[in-house]
């Protein structure tokens, strides 16, 4: 099988992601995955944050949604 993915980031702030898992595998339960991310700083450069969202198709198991929030200091 082959899995592919790509990410485009605009000004190190907004990211758009896409991918496909197990391409060419006839009985695969996974497939298309899409996502987006937002990154920035608070209080100058001392405190950073990130917010990421992802959606993935899992065949019979339906789709999944993932949300991640991160803080860096």
């Amino acid at each position: 099988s082959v899995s592919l993915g790509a990410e485009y980031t605009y000004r190190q702030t907004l990211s758009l992601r896409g991918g496909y898992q197990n391409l060419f595998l006839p009985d695969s339960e996974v497939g298309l995955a899409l996502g987006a991310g937002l990154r920035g700083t608070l209080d100058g450069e001392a405190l950073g944050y990130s917010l990421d969202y992802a959606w993935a198709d899992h065949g019979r198991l339906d789709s999944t949604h993932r949300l991640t929030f991160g803080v860096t200091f």
Side-chain angles (χ1 to χ4, degrees), residues 3-50:
S3 296
L4 301 170
E7 177 181 67
Y8 172 76
T9 302
Y10 179 73
R11 295 189 180 212
Q12 296 182 343
T13 302
L14 177 66
S15 297
L16 300 174
R17 303 173 185 103
Y20 202 93
Q21 298 178 51
N22 296 335
L23 193 62
F24 308 121
L25 195 61
D27 58 350
S28 174
E29 291 293 329
V30 291
L32 183 64
L34 301 171
L38 184 63
R39 301 193 190 298
T41 59
L42 301 171
D43 192 27
E45 297 292 323
L47 187 62
Y49 67 90
S50 64

